[in-house]
């Protein structure tokens, strides 16, 4: 399977910045969502889940075909709750219907990270909507009830090494788990709508206790009301992961740098970009004094 980016020569960075700005403004406007966390975290999760189906063995899945829009994928139990992010993007797609779904889902995630004061993420257009037959089967997204070996194997399928796996999991600074979506409950930290290294700081510093939640699933809970999935906690149980967690907890700039490159790689997995294909860095609304 080969996925070649289609570069639309009619479009410039300004066209994509306009879409970025629309998404960013709507994040600001619809701020009451999910107890005033807002739509940022779930937009990040949509970008990640629409990319996280990638399989390096045959280059299938991934963000390219925008197949999240098909029922098989958007009803995958791992995607419970993401409908809210898709509906958020509906009016944006209506207004800018020349963009592909894969480009829109990934642009939404890049916008949400940057507007949450995260790092700048380089982004390249060119994903092409594929037919329903390209939709990957359910079950390719990670299962939280697992340890370090599972995490390492899972990220290897996405061509991610240990540093990339740890950096990517740091996105759990954003948002929270929801009993009704995943069977887990609670946020990873205090600042659920700001992109920071808080996930790593909390992993190291909170008093974690493995407990059964109201849905009967095991999760680590702290006295401050924070939580960790078993796959999160695996990052302090494995000595190689632990070293990287400590680095990111002590050095936010190092986390930001690694997250930016790993997230771009995640969103572009399996895509061949022709020589000279454009690569954009978008301005935040703040950068533009908006
Ligand atoms: Fe995650 N994640 N994630 N995650 N994730 C959940 C929420 C969010 C796993 C499981 C869950 C990444 C990696 C993993 C975000 C981003 C990223 C929830 C809760 C579960 C469960 C969903 C719900 O109840 O609504 C597991 C397992 C892994 C793993 O590494 C093995 C990665 C790589 C990212 C990323 O973006 C790079 C975000 C953001 C959320 C918060 C969503 C929200 O609605 O809030």
């Amino acid at each position: 399977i080969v996925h070649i980016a289609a570069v639309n020569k009619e479009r410039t960075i300004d066209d994509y910045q306009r879409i970025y700005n629309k998404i960013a403004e709507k994040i600001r406007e619809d701020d009451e969502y999910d107890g005033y966390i807002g739509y940022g975290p779930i937009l990040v999760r949509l970008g990640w889940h629409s990319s996280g189906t990638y399989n390096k063995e045959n280059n299938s899945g991934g963000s390219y075909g925008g197949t999240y829009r098909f029922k098989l994928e958007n009803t995958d139990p791992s995607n419970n709750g993401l409908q809210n992010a898709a509906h958020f993007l509906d009016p944006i797609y209506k207004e800018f219907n020349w963009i592909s779904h894969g480009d829109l889902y990934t642009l939404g995630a890049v916008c949400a990270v940057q507007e949450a004061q995260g790092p700048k993420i380089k982004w390249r257009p060119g994903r092409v909507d594929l037919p329903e037959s390209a939709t990957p089967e359910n079950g390719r997204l990670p299962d939280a009830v697992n340890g370090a070996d599972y995490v390492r194997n899972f990220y290897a399928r996405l061509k991610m090494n240990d540093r990339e796996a740890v950096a990517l999991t740091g996105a759990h600074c954003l948002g929270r788990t929801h009993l009704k979506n995943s069977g887990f409950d609670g946020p990873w930290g205090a600042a659920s709508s700001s992109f920071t290294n808080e996930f790593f700081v909390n992993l190291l510093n909170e008093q974690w206790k493995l407990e059964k939640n109201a849905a009967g699933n095991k999760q680590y809970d702290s006295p401050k009301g924070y939580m960790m999935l078993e796959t999160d906690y695996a990052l302090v149980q494995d000595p190689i992961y632990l070293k990287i967690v400590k680095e990111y907890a002590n050095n936010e700039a190092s986390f930001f740098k690694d997250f930016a490159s790993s997230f771009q790689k995640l969103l572009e997995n399996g895509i061949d970009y022709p020589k000279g294909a454009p690569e954009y860095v978008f301005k935040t609304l703040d950068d533009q004094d908006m």
Side-chain angles (χ1 to χ4, degrees):
I1 301 173
V2 181
H3 292 149
I4 299 172
V7 178
N8 183 343
K9 295 237 163 65
E10 319 261 281
R11 301 290 168 186
T12 67
I13 185 164
D14 296 342
D15 292 299
Y16 294 100
Q17 181 75 58
R18 259 192 287 282
I19 303 181
Y20 177 108
N21 287 356
K22 270 283 151 109
I23 298 169
E25 282 163 352
K26 193 168 156 63
I27 293 174
R28 274 192 187 168
E29 279 159 22
D30 300 353
D31 64 338
E32 74 295 344
Y33 176 71
D34 202 10
Y36 285 91
I37 291 174
Y39 277 95
I42 199 154
L43 287 169
V44 173
R45 191 163 198 246
L46 176 60
W48 134 240
H49 274 204
S50 65
S51 309
T53 55
Y54 180 67
N55 186 347
K56 70 173 178 191
E57 297 309 328
N58 58 1
N59 215 46
S60 64
S63 69
Y64 183 84
T67 52
Y68 172 84
R69 74 191 189 282
F70 294 118
K71 195 170 174 195
L72 172 63
E73 190 166 332
N74 63 44
T75 59
D76 183 332
S78 297
N79 284 331
N80 281 353
L82 284 183
Q83 297 85 349
N84 293 333
H87 289 146
F88 173 99
L89 291 174
D90 279 343
I92 314 265
Y93 184 72
K94 280 216 178 75
E95 187 175 348
F96 301 93
N97 63 6
W98 49 267
I99 195 172
S100 68
H101 285 85
D103 277 354
L104 183 61
Y105 299 142
T106 54
L107 179 56
V110 165
C111 173
V113 169
Q114 293 192 174
E115 294 299 310
Q117 281 105 52
K120 291 278 167 77
I121 317 277
K122 294 180 192 142
W123 183 86
R124 295 191 278 184
R127 295 165 190 79
V128 176
D129 281 357
L130 291 176
E132 192 160 9
S133 58
T135 311
E137 72 281 3
N138 285 185
R140 290 191 182 199
L141 294 161
D143 172 3
V145 187
N146 279 291
D149 290 349
Y150 171 91
V151 172
R152 192 164 274 121
N153 274 318
F154 173 81
Y155 281 101
R157 203 198 73 211
L158 300 177
K159 290 198 290 200
M160 299 293 174
N161 64 26
D162 287 344
R163 280 187 83 79
E164 293 167 327
V166 175
L168 285 170
T169 315
H172 283 170
C173 59
L174 294 175
R176 56 169 295 150
T177 61
H178 307 81
L179 217 51
K180 67 177 184 336
N181 292 342
S182 60
F184 298 102
D185 193 20
W188 291 271
S192 300
S193 38
S194 299
F195 196 94
T196 68
N197 66 343
E198 188 190 359
F199 171 80
F200 302 108
V201 173
N202 290 347
L203 254 182
L204 294 175
N205 294 345
E206 292 302 301
Q207 300 292 313
W208 296 110
K209 212 169 118 200
L210 189 59
E211 293 179 334
K212 251 190 193 174
N213 65 29
N217 295 316
K218 281 195 273 180
Q219 61 179 62
Y220 288 85
D221 295 319
S222 91
K224 288 190 193 158
Y226 306 153
M227 67 85 66
M228 289 285 162
L229 301 166
E230 287 191 72
T231 46
D232 297 318
Y233 199 74
L235 304 182
V236 292
Q237 294 175 313
D238 177 277
I240 303 170
Y241 284 151
L242 175 61
K243 237 185 118 200
I244 307 165
V245 168
K246 286 181 176 164
E247 179 188 329
Y248 293 156
N250 290 315
N251 186 345
E252 192 176 62
S254 168
F255 166 52
F256 271 33
K257 182 169 167 287
D258 289 352
F259 183 84
S261 57
S262 313
F263 199 55
Q264 181 185 12
K265 177 174 167 181
L266 175 74
L267 302 184
E268 294 184 351
N269 249 336
I271 307 176
D272 288 337
Y273 288 88
K275 259 212 175 74
E279 179 172 73
Y280 302 137
V281 176
F282 297 109
K283 295 189 168 83
T284 63
L285 292 183
D286 282 349
D287 291 341
Q288 302 166 80
D289 291 319
M290 289 171 79

